[in-house]
Amino acid sequence: MTPLNRSLLVSIVGEQEVEEQQTSFYLPDDVVVNKKPFEVVEVLDVSSESKFVDKLKAGDKIVVEGHMLRNISVFGETATLVEDNYVLAKL
């Protein structure tokens, strides 16, 4: 999957399987349930439209707002995207 429109394709560092729990309200399927306000992710690809296209490369570790990570499943492949304005720091 190639990110477009200022998105970054990322992988959550240290991602672990989380048991599904019953909730009392509906969350869209593409929302990543995350109790941490910030998350360290590894950059896999950067949109050519992103302001970070010349600053980030595959393998870089960055800090993003955890609640802004979006999981997208298409044709059996799942990707995690975040918009570039939710990038807070590069490690």
Side-chain angles (χ1 to χ4, degrees):
M1 184 175 292
T2 302
L4 299 173
N5 195 24
R6 297 181 33 221
S7 293
L8 285 75
L9 181 63
V10 298
S11 173
I12 299 174
V13 174
E15 183 175 8
Q16 298 174 354
E17 292 295 320
V18 178
E19 293 180 24
E20 287 193 30
Q21 301 174 357
Q22 287 186 346
T23 59
S24 58
F25 55 92
Y26 171 78
L27 289 175
D29 292 335
D30 64 341
V31 172
V32 178
V33 178
N34 190 343
K35 295 180 181 178
K36 296 190 281 185
F38 308 105
E39 191 73 60
V40 176
V41 297
E42 180 178 344
V43 175
L44 301 177
D45 199 1
V46 179
S47 167
S48 62
E49 301 165 355
S50 171
K51 58 188 166 191
F52 296 117
V53 69
D54 295 325
K55 296 179 176 102
L56 296 175
K57 63 185 183 313
D60 285 346
K61 304 269 190 301
I62 58 175
V63 178
V64 298
E65 292 186 33
H67 67 282
M68 297 310 298
L69 293 168
R70 308 281 296 207
N71 281 335
I72 299 174
S73 295
V74 180
F75 302 123
E77 180 182 333
T78 301
T80 303
L81 296 171
V82 65
E83 289 184 34
D84 66 4
N85 55 318
Y86 298 109
V87 175
L88 303 173
K90 179 179 173 184
L91 301 177

